[in-house]
Amino acid sequence: MTKMISTPERLKSKQPNRFQMPSISWLIVIAIILGFFARGVYSAEMTPGRIIAGIGNIGEFIAEAVPPDLTRFENYFWAIVETFEMALVGTVAGVILSLPVALLASDNTTPNQVVRLVTRNLVAAVRTIPELVWALIFVIAIGLGPAAGIFTLTIDTIGFCGRFFSERIEEIPPGPVDALRATGSSQFGITLGAIFPVAFPSMVATSLYALEKAIRSAVILGIVGAGGIGVELETAMTMFRYDEALTIIILIWLVVLGSEQFSTIVRRRVI
């Protein structure tokens, strides 16, 4: 028999939950976070006078940057091409290397707990080190130029794609895997026939996002000597040639915008 609910109780059940006073432990945590926030604002010396002066300086930068200087456009064009190539090579190499790494880090493809734990910790360690630090390491190791940038982006992509590929592999339903295993298929056959086909759309989307991320990162890597358009941007800003800097910024924006549009089109077709 259906239990009858009175009108006040029914109305009460539809009301949103009332705000409840946090516990003492949560109040302490909130107070600590607010303390760090206040100290951060104070340490940054974000005074009204400084902010107003900064707005005026940005106005001067825009006034000196417009119109953009196109006299060295050909040099900037080839530098941005080099940046894109660096990002593309680093991403492709990183995605390829991320596939075995993800298989080793997943529960349903690597039963050995020690191997899985070591792989996950290595991927986490790679991901926690900033790409700028990796770039400095590779510049010291192999010298200035695009090679240092490519190695940096490869490592950064492994840290990024290795984690998300692994999570997607672990989400695969066991049905197709069990069906192939029942036929006597090897682990290699199961991986090719049941795991990769199911995870493929998600892997493609993750790889395209990694490429967009690599293009943005490649610009920054050039500032520390890893090649690409970042070298030209750092030189223009250091020499106060803001009109040339604006030309470079516009080129970077066009390349990033184009890569995002390309990624969107591919995602719609694959997913």
Side-chain angles (χ1 to χ4, degrees):
M1 182 177 178
T2 306
K3 183 180 179 182
M4 299 298 292
I5 302 175
S6 61
T7 303
E9 290 179 350
R10 189 167 61 251
L11 292 176
K12 186 178 180 180
S13 64
K14 293 182 178 179
Q15 292 177 349
N17 296 327
R18 292 181 178 276
F19 177 78
Q20 296 181 348
M21 179 63 71
S23 62
I24 298 297
S25 57
W26 272 110
L27 286 176
I28 294 174
V29 172
I30 292 172
I32 292 173
I33 294 174
L34 289 176
F36 279 119
F37 178 82
R39 189 177 183 279
V41 173
Y42 177 77
S43 302
E45 298 180 357
M46 297 171 61
T47 59
R50 191 176 182 187
I51 294 174
I52 293 172
I55 294 173
N57 293 333
I58 291 176
E60 291 180 8
F61 169 79
I62 295 174
E64 294 183 24
V66 178
D69 187 353
L70 303 177
T71 53
R72 299 188 69 237
F73 180 81
E74 184 177 353
N75 294 348
Y76 300 150
F77 174 78
W78 289 114
I80 198 73
V81 169
E82 183 182 75
T83 300
F84 177 75
E85 292 171 345
M86 196 165 65
L88 184 63
V89 175
T91 303
V92 170
V95 167
I96 293 173
L97 294 174
S98 295
L99 294 175
V101 169
L103 292 173
L104 291 174
S106 302
D107 290 333
N108 50 347
T109 52
T110 302
N112 190 306
Q113 188 176 359
V114 175
V115 175
R116 198 167 60 239
L117 188 63
V118 170
T119 307
R120 286 182 180 179
N121 286 331
L122 284 175
V123 172
V126 166
R127 192 171 57 252
T128 53
I129 297 175
E131 54 208 15
L132 208 56
V133 176
W134 282 116
L136 291 171
I137 293 172
F138 284 117
V139 166
I140 294 172
I142 60 177
L144 301 171
I150 289 174
F151 278 108
T152 299
L153 296 173
T154 300
I155 293 293
D156 187 60
T157 302
I158 292 174
F160 179 76
C161 289
R163 174 191 172 185
F164 287 103
F165 285 3
S166 172
E167 290 179 354
R168 182 65 189 100
I169 290 172
E170 290 180 343
E171 293 171 355
I172 291 175
V177 176
D178 294 339
L180 278 180
R181 186 171 287 120
T183 62
S185 178
S186 63
Q187 184 60 42
F188 183 72
I190 293 172
T191 302
L192 291 182
I195 293 177
F196 279 160
V198 177
F200 181 73
S202 176
M203 288 181 171
V204 170
T206 303
S207 302
L208 290 171
Y209 186 73
L211 178 61
E212 295 176 20
K213 182 172 173 291
I215 292 173
R216 295 189 185 92
S217 300
V219 175
I220 304 300
L221 299 182
I223 296 177
V224 295
I229 194 69
V231 179
E232 298 285 353
L233 181 60
E234 196 271 339
T235 303
M237 295 296 284
T238 304
M239 302 297 291
F240 303 104
R241 297 172 180 167
Y242 298 139
D243 49 357
E244 295 183 3
L246 181 59
T247 306
I248 297 169
I249 293 170
I250 292 173
L251 277 174
I252 294 170
W253 173 69
L254 289 174
V255 171
V256 172
L257 185 65
S259 68
E260 289 181 351
Q261 294 300 319
F262 174 75
S263 298
T264 302
I265 294 172
V266 175
R267 284 195 191 99
R268 286 175 180 170
R269 288 181 177 273
V270 174
I271 299 177

